[in-house]
Amino acid sequence: MINLFLIITLFVIQSVFASPLSDGALRLIQVGNEISSRDVVLRGQSLLLKGAFDLNDIDALYESSKQVREGNDLMEYPPLEREANEILIKLVKQSYDPALYDYGLYLLDGKGGFVRNEFLALNLFEESFKVHGNADSAFIAAVIRNESLVPGTKKPQRIDELLTFAILNKVKGAQEYQDEHVKSGYWRSLSVSNWKDWLLDQ
């Protein structure tokens, strides 16, 4: 298992998160990729390994799961979707919020090597909201509940709670959804074919 983590961490190419050591490592990796220097990338990867394993930097492991999915042309690393998903799911089991959110989107879209599962996605988004106060997750959970055909899922009070939290936290699209899809007096689906793309467009 340690070897798997080592391989995956080496794929990280760029990102920014809270850990100072990991942030510095990722900057080195980013610069190394920009100037096509394998040595600089390797220096950054060594720092990242220190953060991920010696300091138990969970952000570094999360970023690794994201970036291993893409691979790295300079280092000649191919994309490894299955390995990335193994790390992602381990982080989900630790209730790591960015992983909960990403996994939920993959399940909603049926992408990234995951089969579409709206009900499991709803559970992940609601955990993200309840445990971490993630307003984006609250909005998506409200949409799933409002549009689901599963008996017992469409609970008006719960939907209102989720949407209100999202609106108060200025989540893009939340107020419009409440006005046009919940309080308009008639039902119509948001009809999102790809949630990741839809969210980026808001």
Side-chain angles (χ1 to χ4, degrees), residues 2-106:
I2 292 297
N3 287 337
L4 176 63
F5 277 97
L6 288 171
I7 291 169
I8 288 175
T9 307
L10 291 176
F11 284 93
V12 178
I13 54 176
Q14 61 184 353
S15 186
V16 176
F17 45 70
S19 165
L21 185 146
S22 296
D23 183 53
L26 291 173
R27 288 184 188 202
L28 277 175
I29 294 168
Q30 181 178 2
V31 168
N33 279 290
E34 289 172 353
I35 65 174
S36 298
S37 171
R38 294 172 65 93
D39 289 340
V40 174
V41 171
L42 286 172
R43 199 173 309 138
Q45 289 169 345
S46 296
L47 281 176
L48 192 63
L49 287 171
K50 180 178 178 61
F53 298 104
D54 294 348
L55 304 179
N56 296 316
D57 187 337
I58 196 168
D59 292 322
L61 293 179
Y62 165 69
E63 193 60 31
S64 297
S65 76
K66 285 176 57 180
Q67 299 301 325
V68 71
R69 201 175 297 278
E70 301 298 324
N72 186 314
D73 290 338
L74 176 64
M75 304 304 290
E76 299 179 354
Y77 298 149
L80 295 176
E81 189 174 80
R82 182 177 59 81
E83 288 81 355
N85 289 342
E86 287 181 15
I87 301 302
L88 183 66
I89 291 171
K90 287 182 181 299
L91 293 171
V92 166
K93 289 178 180 177
Q94 297 179 55
S95 192
Y96 181 68
D97 191 47
L100 291 170
Y101 185 78
D102 280 358
Y103 187 28
L105 288 179
Y106 283 128

Side-chain angles (χ1 to χ4, degrees), residues 107-143:
L107 290 171
L108 270 188
D109 292 336
K111 304 284 186 182
F114 296 106
V115 176
R116 192 174 188 279
N117 187 328
E118 187 177 89
F119 186 70
L120 178 54
L122 174 61
N123 289 336
L124 292 166
F125 289 123
E126 292 208 328
E127 179 181 346
S128 174
F129 162 63
K130 287 187 282 189
V131 177
H132 304 284
N134 188 321
D136 293 307
S137 292
F139 171 54
I140 299 171
V143 174

Side-chain angles (χ1 to χ4, degrees), residues 137-161:
S137 292
F139 171 54
I140 299 171
V143 174
I144 296 172
R145 280 193 172 276
N146 189 53
E147 302 191 4
S148 177
L149 300 177
V150 178
T153 303
K154 190 167 184 172
K155 298 178 179 178
Q157 184 174 346
R158 181 63 171 159
I159 293 168
D160 184 58
E161 174 191 355

